[in-house]
Amino acid sequence: MKKALGIAAALVLLNSAAIAQFGYRADDRFSFSFYGGFGLSRAEGVSSYADTWDAYVHKNISEYADIAYQAEDGIAFGGAFTLLFDRNIGLEFGGALFGRTMPTEIVSGWEVFADSTRYADTYAFSGGGRLSSVPLFLNFVVRYPSGIMDLHLSAGPALFLNTAKADATGIYGDSYWYQVLWIIYEWIDFLPVAMEIPSTSWIGVGGNFGLGIDLNFSPMFAFFLEARAFLCGSKNLEWEYITGHYDGLRGIFSDWEFGQSQVDYLIENSLTSPLKINPSFFFVSAGIKLRFGL
């Protein structure tokens, strides 16, 4: 074991000495890099619903739902091709893949006044979602060689191929009444309506910039660490309501129909704000770099 460690240490010292003496080859002009690491997501926010309406007897009935969402951090991968115009300046073309779950947490409630008496309740639901981004970038690269370690900076435009989907549980109030002689009986209940943003893809335009360090094991091979920010504009995605039959949250309505007319009412009055998705993320990665001559 000691002998093997001694041989490995000697090889590293010899290799370092060779790099320090000869540096990079004069024809070292392009390289391939492959990396993976941890992505820190920027997609988070609240999509809100609110409505106030009157039933036949009860007035100023209010209901709301706040849908909080946050894309989770996770593993990302990428690769790049770099062409140097001289030893230290060039262009870099590459891409990355970052897929992350995007759960939703919903808090909803209602408030009703009847004969100066206030009735109210709140509910909590959870939903799911997913966001994936594939940024493709073309960067200007500057490299600062220093023997066994190099520093490199890069920045440029990026084209983002994004896909997102989400589901949640909203709230929708309805009423039913009938009259016996001069007495009116009225019931109010609130339906836990399913909502979704179906899988939606779009192209976003943005940019990226990064800072990295290469640890050179030979003129042709290096291990590197890099931190990179991918920046993309936000996209508003509209919720869709799922028609069907629902049981009321108060236990008054059973198998109550939520149909297209109710959906049209919600859409026409723009009662639910969209899901504002920001595909930007920060990427900390490690990988290998293979260099070649022309």
Side-chain angles (χ1 to χ4, degrees):
M1 181 66 178
K2 293 182 179 179
K3 183 178 180 181
L5 292 175
I7 294 174
L11 290 174
V12 170
L13 290 174
L14 288 173
N15 184 62
S16 301
I19 292 176
Q21 179 178 358
F22 299 108
Y24 291 100
R25 297 174 301 170
D27 61 350
D28 172 22
R29 298 297 298 276
F30 62 92
S31 64
F32 294 95
S33 57
F34 308 93
Y35 47 89
F38 195 68
L40 304 175
S41 185
R42 293 284 303 279
E44 61 179 320
V46 177
S47 176
S48 297
Y49 161 81
D51 190 22
T52 300
W53 53 284
D54 295 330
Y56 189 82
V57 176
H58 299 83
K59 306 299 181 182
N60 295 321
I61 305 166
S62 62
E63 57 195 43
Y64 68 90
D66 292 327
I67 306 169
Y69 60 93
Q70 181 174 11
E72 297 181 344
D73 303 330
I75 303 300
F77 302 93
F81 168 76
T82 303
L83 173 63
L84 296 177
F85 301 130
D86 60 24
R87 287 170 57 105
N88 303 319
I89 299 176
L91 290 177
E92 175 187 51
F93 173 76
L97 170 62
F98 184 28
R100 57 275 202 198
T101 58
M102 189 174 62
T104 58
E105 298 294 334
I106 306 98
V107 176
S108 60
W110 55 269
E111 183 180 64
V112 177
F113 288 90
D115 297 328
S116 300
T117 302
R118 177 181 179 270
Y119 302 90
D121 206 348
T122 59
Y123 311 93
F125 305 98
S126 60
R130 186 162 183 82
L131 171 63
S132 63
S133 301
V134 180
L136 304 175
F137 54 85
L138 179 62
N139 291 338
F140 181 73
V141 181
V142 179
R143 182 175 69 178
Y144 300 92
S146 59
I148 195 171
M149 294 184 65
D150 297 339
L151 177 69
H152 54 87
L153 304 172
S154 62
L159 192 68
F160 285 74
L161 310 179
N162 303 305
T163 301
K165 63 179 181 179
D167 61 77
T169 301
I171 189 171
Y172 183 85
D174 209 345
S175 64
Y176 171 75
W177 67 273
Y178 70 87
Q179 184 173 357
V180 178
L181 298 176
W182 63 88
I183 302 176
I184 297 176
Y185 299 90
E186 183 174 67
W187 290 267
I188 299 174
D189 208 342
F190 298 86
L191 308 177
V193 176
M195 307 163 59
E196 70 170 359
I197 293 176
S199 183
T200 304
S201 299
W202 73 98
I203 297 176
V205 178
N208 77 109
F209 59 91
L211 169 66
I213 297 176
D214 293 348
L215 177 62
N216 301 306
F217 288 94
S218 76
M220 297 183 63
F221 177 78
F223 175 81
F224 70 91
L225 299 173
E226 185 180 72
R228 181 169 299 277
F230 290 100
L231 306 176
C232 181
S234 299
K235 174 76 170 179
N236 287 336
L237 302 180
E238 299 291 341
W239 289 99
E240 296 183 4
Y241 306 92
I242 309 300
T243 60
H245 291 78
Y246 298 91
D247 294 332
L249 294 169
R250 301 182 67 197
I252 297 174
F253 294 165
S254 177
D255 199 30
W256 195 263
E257 183 180 7
F258 175 80
Q260 190 59 46
S261 61
Q262 287 83 359
V263 172
D264 294 340
Y265 168 80
L266 295 172
I267 294 176
E268 291 170 2
N269 292 278
S270 302
L271 297 177
T272 306
S273 62
L275 202 71
K276 187 176 183 180
I277 301 297
N278 184 350
S280 303
F281 63 96
F282 186 72
F283 189 18
V284 180
S285 63
I288 60 173
K289 184 173 294 186
L290 303 176
R291 304 188 184 99
F292 300 92
L294 295 176

